[in-house]
Structures are given as C-alpha cells and as structure tokens.
Amino acid sequence: MIYFFKILISLIIPFNTIAQTTPGIDLSHHIKNIPWEKVKVAPPLFLIHKATEGSSHTDSKYFERKEIAQNYKIPFGAYHFFSYKSSGNSQAKHYIKTAQLSSGNVIPIVDLEFVKQMPTKQQVVTNVKEFIFEIEKQYKVKPIIYCEYDFYNQYLKDDFSDLNYWIADYNKTPDCNYVIWQYSKTGKIYGLNGMDLNRLNPNTQINQIILP
C-alpha cells in the first residue's frame, strides 16, 4: 500500500517539485572529505563550486570536483569570489580562463560580499559592470550574482535590476528577482554539517540557469 501511495504521489506532484527535495549545494576547498558515493546515489539539484578569487587565485579542488560532478551528470557551475582589490576585467578574464565552462554547465556566477573596508557604491558598480561585460562577451549571457539580500539592497538593486540573483537570506524568502535562494548555511546533507543549502525559485526551471 505504501509503495502504491509513493507511485501515486509521483504522478500527481510536478517533476520540478520532486527534484527540489534534494537541495542544490555549493562547495569550495574548505569543505573536505565529500562522500561522493552518497552524492552519486542522491544527487543534488546542482553543484556549484568556487573556481577563482580575485585576478589570480584558483580553488585547489575545483578541477577535481568539476570532473566528478560531470561524470555523475550533476548540473555543475562555477563561481568567482569577487575582490575589490583588482579590476573587474582582470577578474573576469581569470575566471573565464580557469572555469572552462561550456554548454550544459550552470551560467557563470559572481559572488559579491561585504568586506571590512568596502569601496564606494560607485566603485563597486563600475567594477561589477566590467566583470559582467567580459562574461557576456564570452558566454553571450549575463552572470548570476550571488550576494546577501542586504548587499543587493545597498549596492546592486539600482544599477543591476535586470540581472538574475542567487540570494542568501536565512530568515525569509528574498523579495527580489532571484533564481536561486540560499536558505541555510547550517544545513546537514550527505553526513556533512554546516552546509549551504539552496533551492530554485518556484518559477525557475533548472534548464533556465544552464548554458545552451
């Protein structure tokens, strides 16, 4: 009877709803000892890994984990951790050269975060525009911007309202044009604690954030 009920539910509930029961995850070299066999059995909605930071740094686990994720047919993406110490142009070129994204990967992502000594809003906007220009020139799409909701309000919403966002908000659903919501930074998945957990906007399908 239980088996029959599961089949009935799978026919009634849309595929996108079922898929999102396994959150998307994001990783960097700081997260160690990934139990890949567990990941293979219950793959995440997507796996996004840090690729680069600034104009020269490359994450030490990026290439290894990109290969694993793609072998497991998990939608894979790469994010760039933005630095305010070098130009947007140079950072984008470093990201493009390193990430080596292609059709079937998640659209490029740039991670914008608060630092202790923030530049002016205009400096942030100018550098981010440089980064976006190089990404769009290479991939024919604008990047997704990852940031906290407060960062979006303070630095981005006036100049980048047309972009898609991956918003970190651990208290409420983001009130903006988000495609991905990072709803937890203390999640547990695959036996790992303290994980970032993400879900798509209910109006977004996974193919909408994938490079053609």
Side-chain angles (χ1 to χ4, degrees):
M1 186 66 180
I2 294 175
Y3 178 72
F4 172 77
F5 182 73
K6 287 182 178 179
I7 293 175
L8 183 62
I9 290 295
S10 70
L11 292 173
I12 294 172
I13 299 176
F15 173 77
N16 192 47
T17 303
I18 296 171
Q20 293 212 47
T21 58
T22 304
I25 60 174
D26 54 278
L27 303 173
S28 73
H29 72 278
H30 294 293
I31 300 171
K32 306 182 187 303
N33 302 318
I34 307 297
W36 289 109
E37 286 307 310
K38 292 182 179 180
V39 175
K40 185 177 182 180
V41 170
L45 182 62
F46 53 75
L47 192 161
I48 296 170
H49 203 286
K50 181 179 180 179
T52 49
E53 180 175 342
S55 57
S56 60
H57 177 75
T58 299
D59 190 281
S60 60
K61 291 291 185 180
Y62 175 73
F63 295 107
E64 172 191 333
R65 292 174 176 174
K66 179 184 180 185
E67 182 178 4
I68 293 171
Q70 294 188 150
N71 285 341
Y72 289 173
K73 309 300 182 186
I74 299 169
F76 179 83
Y79 75 86
H80 173 78
F81 191 93
F82 200 85
S83 168
Y84 306 110
K85 296 180 179 179
S86 54
S87 72
N89 288 326
S90 64
Q91 293 186 61
K93 289 175 181 176
H94 174 48
Y95 172 84
I96 290 166
K97 181 179 179 181
T98 304
Q100 299 177 22
L101 299 178
S102 58
S103 176
N105 290 141
V106 176
I107 289 169
I109 297 165
V110 57
D111 177 351
L112 301 174
E113 303 201 11
F114 289 109
V115 295
K116 193 171 288 187
Q117 292 186 325
M118 285 295 295
T120 66
K121 178 179 178 180
Q122 189 53 54
Q123 289 173 318
V124 172
V125 168
T126 298
N127 273 315
V128 172
K129 283 184 176 179
E130 288 181 3
F131 186 92
I132 291 170
F133 175 81
E134 296 294 339
I135 295 297
E136 192 169 14
K137 185 169 68 173
Q138 175 69 24
Y139 296 106
K140 313 305 178 192
V141 295
K142 292 181 179 179
I144 295 170
I145 293 181
Y146 169 92
C147 62
E148 295 179 17
Y149 184 67
D150 288 345
F151 191 101
Y152 164 80
N153 273 327
Q154 189 169 340
Y155 288 95
L156 303 174
K157 71 176 183 178
D158 294 333
D159 294 275
F160 303 104
S161 60
D162 61 327
L163 266 67
N164 288 319
Y165 286 89
W166 174 8
I167 295 290
D169 193 323
Y170 310 123
N171 298 310
K172 63 184 184 308
T173 305
D175 183 22
C176 64
N177 185 34
Y178 79 95
V179 290
I180 304 172
W181 174 22
Q182 185 177 97
Y183 62 91
S184 178
K185 62 178 178 178
T186 57
K188 182 173 182 178
I189 189 170
Y190 308 123
L192 299 170
N193 294 312
M195 292 286 287
D196 294 337
L197 301 180
N198 307 274
R199 61 170 61 109
L200 293 178
N201 185 311
N203 297 316
T204 301
Q205 300 292 329
I206 188 69
N207 65 320
Q208 292 175 258
I209 62 167
I210 298 293
L211 286 170

Coordinates of all heavy atoms in Angstrom, one line a residue, residues 1 6 16-17 19 21 39 54 58 64 86 101 109 120 160 162 169 175 191:
M1 N 0.8 -1.2 0.0 CA 0.0 0.0 0.0 C 0.9 1.3 0.0 O 0.6 2.2 -0.7 CB -0.9 0.0 1.2 CG -1.9 1.1 1.3 SD -3.1 1.0 -0.1 CE -4.1 2.5 0.2
K6 N 3.3 6.0 -2.9 CA 4.5 6.7 -3.5 C 4.4 6.9 -5.0 O 4.7 8.0 -5.5 CB 5.8 6.0 -3.1 CG 6.2 6.1 -1.6 CD 7.5 5.4 -1.4 CE 7.9 5.5 0.1 NZ 9.2 4.7 0.3
N16 N 9.4 19.2 -11.1 CA 10.3 20.2 -10.5 C 10.2 20.3 -9.0 O 11.1 20.5 -8.3 CB 9.9 21.6 -11.1 CG 11.0 22.7 -10.8 OD1 12.2 22.4 -10.9 ND2 10.6 23.8 -10.3
T17 N 9.0 20.0 -8.5 CA 8.8 20.0 -7.0 C 9.5 18.8 -6.4 O 10.2 18.9 -5.4 CB 7.3 19.9 -6.7 OG1 6.6 20.9 -7.3 CG2 7.0 19.9 -5.2
A19 N 12.2 17.3 -7.7 CA 13.6 17.5 -7.8 C 14.1 18.3 -6.7 O 15.3 18.1 -6.3 CB 13.9 18.1 -9.2
T21 N 13.4 18.5 -3.7 CA 13.5 17.9 -2.3 C 15.0 17.6 -2.0 O 15.3 17.6 -0.8 CB 12.7 16.6 -2.2 OG1 13.2 15.7 -3.2 CG2 11.2 16.9 -2.5
V39 N 26.6 11.2 -2.7 CA 26.2 12.2 -3.7 C 25.7 11.5 -4.9 O 24.7 11.9 -5.5 CB 27.4 13.1 -4.0 CG1 27.0 14.1 -5.1 CG2 27.8 13.9 -2.7
G54 N 39.6 36.9 -7.0 CA 40.5 38.0 -7.5 C 40.9 37.7 -8.9 O 40.3 37.1 -9.7
T58 N 43.1 30.4 -7.7 CA 42.3 29.3 -8.2 C 42.1 28.3 -7.1 O 43.0 28.0 -6.4 CB 42.9 28.6 -9.4 OG1 43.1 29.5 -10.5 CG2 42.1 27.4 -9.9
E64 N 39.2 18.9 -9.9 CA 38.9 17.5 -9.4 C 37.4 17.3 -9.2 O 36.8 16.4 -9.7 CB 39.6 17.3 -8.1 CG 39.3 15.9 -7.4 CD 39.8 15.9 -6.0 OE1 40.9 16.5 -5.7 OE2 39.2 15.1 -5.2
S86 N 41.2 44.4 -7.3 CA 41.7 44.3 -8.7 C 40.5 44.6 -9.6 O 39.3 44.5 -9.2 CB 42.3 43.0 -9.1 OG 41.5 41.9 -8.7
L101 N 33.9 26.8 -18.7 CA 32.5 26.4 -18.8 C 32.1 26.2 -20.2 O 32.7 26.8 -21.1 CB 31.6 27.4 -18.1 CG 31.9 27.7 -16.6 CD1 30.9 28.8 -16.2 CD2 31.7 26.5 -15.8
I109 N 28.7 32.6 -12.4 CA 28.2 33.2 -11.2 C 29.4 34.0 -10.6 O 30.5 33.6 -10.5 CB 27.8 32.1 -10.2 CG1 26.6 31.3 -10.7 CG2 27.5 32.7 -8.8 CD1 26.3 30.0 -10.0
T120 N 33.4 52.6 -2.3 CA 32.1 53.3 -2.5 C 31.2 52.5 -3.4 O 31.6 51.6 -4.1 CB 32.4 54.6 -3.2 OG1 32.9 54.4 -4.5 CG2 33.4 55.5 -2.4
F160 N 21.5 47.1 -11.3 CA 21.5 45.8 -11.9 C 20.2 45.1 -11.6 O 20.1 43.9 -11.4 CB 22.7 45.0 -11.3 CG 24.0 45.6 -11.4 CD1 24.7 46.2 -10.4 CD2 24.7 45.5 -12.7 CE1 25.9 46.8 -10.5 CE2 25.9 46.1 -12.8 CZ 26.6 46.7 -11.8
D162 N 18.1 44.2 -13.7 CA 17.7 43.2 -14.8 C 18.5 41.9 -14.7 O 18.2 41.0 -15.5 CB 18.0 43.9 -16.2 CG 19.5 44.2 -16.4 OD1 20.2 44.6 -15.4 OD2 20.0 44.1 -17.5
D169 N 19.6 34.5 2.2 CA 18.7 35.1 3.2 C 18.2 33.9 4.1 O 17.5 33.1 3.6 CB 17.6 35.8 2.6 CG 16.8 36.7 3.6 OD1 16.7 36.2 4.8 OD2 16.4 37.8 3.3
D175 N 12.9 39.1 -1.4 CA 12.0 39.9 -2.0 C 12.6 40.7 -3.2 O 12.8 41.9 -3.2 CB 11.4 40.9 -1.0 CG 10.3 41.8 -1.7 OD1 9.7 41.4 -2.7 OD2 10.1 42.9 -1.1
G191 N 25.7 13.6 5.3 CA 26.5 13.4 6.5 C 27.4 14.6 6.9 O 28.2 14.5 7.8

